[in-house]
Amino acid sequence: MKNFIKNLILLSFLLLSACATQLPVANGIKEISTSDYASLAQSKTEKVEVYSGLYNQLTVSATRMDGEMTEAFLSHSARLLQWTTAQHQTERAKLISQGTEKTDFFISFYTPERKHNDLSSSKSIWKIYLDVNGQRYEGKAVKIKSQLTEVETMYPAHNRWSTPYTVSFPVASAIADGKPAVITFTGTLTSAQLKFK
């Protein structure tokens, strides 16, 4: 009888713990508060600044859009844009499908010379690499053309002096998620690395 009660208490504790870590659900959509979203985004973001003496050559931050961050991104978007359950499911299915082919990072990129801020150009002076699981993948950048307030709401690390990009690497997110990773920016001006645990 004592063992039964102990097991029942342990099971109850485990169930309560599991419930505490889940996002609340409304209309079939997991909910996340603005502050919880900002905290999660911050925990998934790394930043580096490169200087030559007192001269800033490069400031870059990267937010890892892994499974946890993608779910939170969808929940945050659903709340802000008041999506229906069907809209949420459509967007979620699209991101899950894309994740089978690539791993995405949000990049906030600043260089003092505007002409050097050209990650998405075919003639860019920069190369971007992701090192994960002992493999190196070259990234492809796409400039985000949304309004500044939209970008700052979805990616709190971004600021008005930087340019927002999505950088995609040709490796399934299931392979890269939860693994230590390094993003390297390298070019004729300088190089920088962002390390994710």
Side-chain angles (χ1 to χ4, degrees):
M1 185 68 172
K2 276 185 177 179
N3 284 342
F4 175 76
I5 292 172
K6 281 183 182 177
N7 289 339
L8 186 60
I9 291 170
L10 180 62
L11 181 61
S12 298
F13 176 76
L14 290 173
L15 286 172
L16 286 172
S17 298
C19 291
T21 59
Q22 297 294 319
L23 294 175
V25 178
N27 297 327
I29 302 171
K30 292 180 181 178
E31 292 184 343
I32 187 167
S33 70
T34 301
S35 60
D36 286 346
Y37 180 77
S39 294
L40 178 63
Q42 182 180 9
S43 74
K44 302 285 184 182
T45 301
E46 297 296 332
K47 180 179 178 180
V48 67
E49 295 179 292
V50 179
Y51 286 86
S52 175
L54 296 175
Y55 181 72
N56 177 278
Q57 293 183 302
L58 174 68
T59 299
V60 61
S61 69
T63 302
R64 190 176 197 166
M65 298 303 292
D66 60 11
E68 182 182 20
M69 186 63 195
T70 299
E71 285 291 342
F73 179 88
L74 286 166
S75 299
H76 192 54
S77 298
R79 183 175 45 76
L80 293 174
L81 302 174
Q82 298 183 12
W83 285 346
T84 64
T85 304
Q87 286 172 308
H88 179 264
Q89 288 173 344
T90 300
E91 291 300 316
R92 187 172 188 274
K94 188 188 332 178
L95 288 178
I96 288 172
S97 174
Q98 291 171 355
T100 61
E101 300 172 1
K102 62 181 182 161
T103 295
D104 288 339
F105 284 78
F106 167 78
I107 304 295
S108 184
F109 191 81
Y110 170 79
T111 59
E113 290 286 333
R114 263 187 106 122
K115 65 182 179 182
H116 298 150
N117 191 340
D118 64 348
L119 295 183
S120 58
S121 168
S122 60
K123 297 178 183 176
S124 177
I125 64 168
W126 302 98
K127 293 284 186 186
I128 311 164
Y129 300 106
L130 172 67
D131 292 293
V132 66
N133 282 338
Q135 297 292 318
R136 174 167 270 199
Y137 305 93
E138 186 172 346
K140 181 174 178 171
V142 175
K143 188 175 182 178
I144 297 173
K145 296 182 180 172
S146 301
Q147 295 288 330
L148 175 63
T149 54
E150 290 178 67
V151 177
E152 288 179 327
T153 299
M154 300 314 293
Y155 304 101
H158 185 65
N159 62 55
R160 69 176 58 253
W161 297 280
S162 299
T163 303
Y165 296 93
T166 297
V167 178
S168 300
F169 299 93
V171 55
S173 59
I175 294 172
D177 275 11
K179 309 280 190 332
V182 177
I183 294 183
T184 303
F185 289 82
T186 187
T188 54
L189 293 178
T190 190
S191 63
Q193 287 191 327
L194 298 110
K195 296 181 181 179
F196 295 84
K197 297 177 184 178

